[in-house]
Amino acid sequence: MLSQVCSSGSQPFRQRLLPWVQSTALSRSHRVQPSAIRHVRSWSNIPFITVPLSRTHGKSFAHRSELKHAKRIVVKLGSAVVTRGDECGLALGRLASIVEQVSVLQNQGREMMLVTSGAVAFGKQRLRHEILLSQSVRQALHSGQNQLKEMAIPVLEARACAAAGQSGLMALYEAMFTQYSICAAQILVTNLDFHDEQKRRNLNGTLHELLRMNIVPIVNTNDAVVPPAEPNSDLQGVISVKDNDSLAARLAVEMKTDLLIVLSDVEGLFDSPPGSDDAKLIDIFYPGDQQSVTFGTKSRVGMGGMEAKVKAALWALQGGTSVVIANGTHPKVSGHVITDIVEGKKVGTFFSEVKPAGPTVEQQGEMARSGGRMLATLEPEQRAEIIHHLADLLTDQRDEILLANKKDLEEAEGRLAAPLLKRLSLSTSKLNSLAIGLRQIAASSQDSVGRVLRRTRIAKNLELEQVAVPIGVLLVIFESRPDCLPQVAALAIASGNGLLLKGGKEATHSNRILHLLAQEALSIHGVKEAIQLVNTREEVEDLCRLDKMIDLIIPRGSSQLVRDIQKAAKGIPVMGHSEGICHMYVDSEASVDKVTRLVRDSKCEYPAACNALETLLIHRDLLRTPLFDQIIDMLRVEQVKIHAGPKFASYLTFSPSEVKSLRTEYGDLELCIEVVDSVQEAIDHIHKYGSSHTDVIVTENEKTAEFFLQHVDSACVFWNASTRFSDGYRFGLGAEVGISTSRIHARGPVGLEGLLTTKWLLRGQDHVVSDFSEHGSLKYLHENLPVPQRNTN
């Protein structure tokens, strides 16, 4: 076994190490708290501060979310990760990114170890260069330059390549880690080093000493001298070191590491060979699931295929080390794959010994897809019957629902702000209103899915129809409000969509019983699985990556939630609004009797709602009038904190605090007041600072009102009405899945119609396009045909 601390120069190692230790201690002093220091050791009179492990090794982590507690981590870099696509030379960009991630984790106080391939590829590149140089000289001397193109490079033996490449590989790592003030050490091993007890103890001691000194060990098999792997040579309970996969597993268990990250050129473990039809990535793999996996061929480079990786991973898992197999070559994710895994994000395949009782979210997505398709094939009367039954259950099971909600409120007491507690709370009146809204949805569902929107006669006996169909599978993410669940469930049922629901933890008990009632209603026509409640530890960002299972994401919650989801969504459309900055413009011809009522209702009735008033625009002529005084007095009585816009502040000697930003959604009893000179200036202000949600004009001048209604470019524009009317239930839609400010598809409160898309149905009789060519026998008619009338009952 060769163990060597990589360095350069001729000065004694201790002298070279001292400045590094001092600079490192200074740069990392901010993350070592005095209370966390266990003890200080010394090595050659140089102190090293060691931080106690965050967990006791012995049992692997049960869930991804626990990986953030991993203290000691092994990262295995496969040949496909380290080498270039031509298998000659290293992928320097990927290596630099990996070194940066490892350095970040090392500087967080973790103990990082690398098991790396790449010596053969590095050596192959170097030897090819040397051979070409040597041959070119000989050819030039004997045959002239015209023979250079005919030179052939001999097949290079892997052991010779490894011998030539190992030193260069290690020098490259050393140079990269030096950029982060981290020292690396090289350790080369063979299988014999693990089977010989004395050598194994030496290896163990060396690694522990390096970790104690905050040095990153870089481990590789000594390919220059390693004997060929012997088939079936594993001893009972011991894995032989045949490749770097088995080496990494053996090292992880030997060093009692918390986490082993195996990076290769595939996303993780699939249930069948990647690239084959219907191959599905396995999110969590359990020791008893080997029979459900069909392995494919090995990687383009390297010795170990996926089967070897799984065997090594299961062996490490049995030894108490958690394992994740992931892709380290994808350009969009390789720059953060290691840190994402440690943060507990849904990357690659996580190996766990704990199998949850319920289905995975991927399985739930498949059930929602198949259940939604069955739901869409039901008769409209059957879907309406399901919704009516759900409405009845909301009132019949009222006591059980309120009891569950009471548990949520008790657990949230002291943790949630008052507006959020109000959202979380259910009541008899809320349940009654929900039931009424659901029955409205049931009525409108009679003529939705399958409704003919357009009919065209293309040619004789060739007719085209455009019909309304479900979007597919919806993912609705909502915070605090459990009453959202039956509303969204009813809309999904009416539109024939499969549904995944992700509610906030604060409403766990309420969401659970409401979901059970929804599934009970669905069961009357055998489509129970169409609506799924995600109860696993899935993070929102992870759910947003399920682009093959989800067709539309609808966030219902804070503006921050919506922005986070819009940012995290990977190829999945997001319907919603990032902010609810609603304006009310009080015109110079506004009615004194109407203004205070409208402002009070818009701002004070429910300030946490997205359709609550946030900015009040007042015409300049109203300043210092009784109307203006009434508005201010009412806001003071309602305890609304006022922020002055720049122009409003300039009119006052003593004004409220000037607003920090005119584009602010307060979500509380706070309001910005600004002054404008005209209706056009009010419109310009709304377009500049608004969020295209809901904007209102208060005036008795019909011409001014119509000008405002036509020129304000928002999803909802009102005249002499509260902003709070911007709601699916109040619009007569029965309920809404949210309010959209998007310009594509649905806009404003999104009800049943917004959850439908279209498809084209063409019915012909042996029609072919060639018959309509210049010399064909048929001509296009393109005649509009009458559309069947909608059922408006």
Side-chain angles (χ1 to χ4, degrees), residues 3-6 72-76 102 106 110-116 170 173-174 177 182-188 203-220 251 255 257:
S3 176
Q4 173 189 351
V5 176
C6 288
R72 184 172 291 174
I73 302 170
V74 172
V75 178
K76 184 266 177 178
V102 170
Q106 181 81 1
R110 305 179 197 269
E111 298 175 341
M112 305 298 296
M113 291 181 278
L114 279 183
V115 174
T116 181
M170 195 59 213
Y173 274 121
E174 176 68 13
F177 275 112
I182 292 175
C183 187
Q186 175 183 254
I187 297 179
L188 296 178
L203 172 62
N204 190 293
T206 300
L207 288 167
H208 276 92
E209 188 68 8
L210 292 172
L211 293 177
R212 186 184 67 80
M213 294 188 294
N214 206 27
I215 295 173
V216 175
I218 300 179
V219 187
N220 196 0
L251 180 69
M255 293 298 294
T257 56

Side-chain angles (χ1 to χ4, degrees), residues 404-453:
N405 185 244
K406 183 181 178 182
K407 291 181 182 179
D408 287 326
L409 290 170
E410 289 173 350
E411 293 175 5
E413 191 68 38
R415 296 190 298 109
L416 293 183
L420 292 179
L421 280 174
K422 186 176 180 181
R423 286 187 180 189
L424 178 60
S425 175
L426 292 176
S427 63
T428 299
S429 61
K430 269 191 178 182
L431 294 176
N432 290 336
S433 296
L434 278 173
I436 294 171
L438 263 56
R439 293 187 178 97
Q440 289 179 352
I441 295 172
S444 62
S445 71
Q446 295 289 335
D447 188 18
S448 55
V449 179
R451 176 165 56 90
V452 178
L453 306 175

Side-chain angles (χ1 to χ4, degrees), residues 233-442:
S233 61
D234 289 350
L235 302 176
Q236 185 175 5
V238 179
I239 189 170
S240 298
V241 176
K242 306 182 185 70
D243 48 45
N244 276 348
D245 294 317
S246 53
L247 169 61
R250 187 69 191 264
L251 180 69
V253 175
E254 181 75 23
M255 293 298 294
K256 296 182 172 59
T257 56
D258 303 316
L259 174 61
L260 167 60
I261 299 174
V262 179
L263 298 182
S264 66
D265 57 350
V266 292
E267 303 300 321
L269 178 60
F270 288 77
D271 58 359
S272 56
S276 61
D277 293 339
D278 301 324
K280 296 176 182 176
L281 179 66
I282 299 174
D283 172 38
I284 304 176
F285 189 73
Y286 309 94
D289 287 348
Q290 293 99 311
Q291 302 303 320
S292 63
V293 176
T294 302
F295 295 103
T297 57
K298 295 183 179 181
S299 167
R300 60 178 173 82
V301 290
M303 296 175 60
M306 184 55 70
E307 190 170 5
K309 290 176 175 57
V310 171
K311 183 178 180 181
L314 291 174
W315 190 86
L317 186 67
Q318 187 179 15
T321 297
S322 296
V323 184
V324 174
I325 297 178
N327 191 335
T329 63
H330 196 292
K332 291 186 178 181
V333 298
S334 58
H336 46 79
V337 60
I338 299 173
T339 49
D340 278 356
I341 289 171
V342 176
E343 289 173 9
K345 294 182 180 179
K346 198 168 190 176
V347 179
T349 300
F350 172 62
F351 286 70
S352 174
E353 291 187 307
V354 179
K355 190 168 186 175
T360 65
V361 69
E362 289 82 5
Q363 292 169 331
Q364 287 186 296
E366 292 175 358
M367 289 189 287
R369 174 80 68 189
S370 59
R373 285 171 176 163
M374 291 176 62
L375 183 64
T377 62
L378 295 179
E379 294 297 326
E381 295 78 11
Q382 292 175 306
R383 288 192 294 271
E385 186 181 355
I386 293 172
I387 299 171
H388 275 296
H389 188 45
L390 177 56
D392 293 339
L393 288 172
L394 290 179
T395 53
D396 295 344
Q397 305 293 326
R398 179 187 59 223
D399 293 340
E400 289 80 357
I401 296 171
L402 295 180
L403 181 62
N405 185 244
K406 183 181 178 182
K407 291 181 182 179
D408 287 326
L409 290 170
E410 289 173 350
E411 293 175 5
E413 191 68 38
R415 296 190 298 109
L416 293 183
L420 292 179
L421 280 174
K422 186 176 180 181
R423 286 187 180 189
L424 178 60
S425 175
L426 292 176
S427 63
T428 299
S429 61
K430 269 191 178 182
L431 294 176
N432 290 336
S433 296
L434 278 173
I436 294 171
L438 263 56
R439 293 187 178 97
Q440 289 179 352
I441 295 172

Side-chain angles (χ1 to χ4, degrees), residues 588 618-625 675-677:
S588 59
I618 298 179
H619 194 282
R620 180 185 58 184
D621 293 348
L622 297 178
L623 290 177
R624 301 183 179 89
T625 66
V675 174
V676 292
D677 293 340

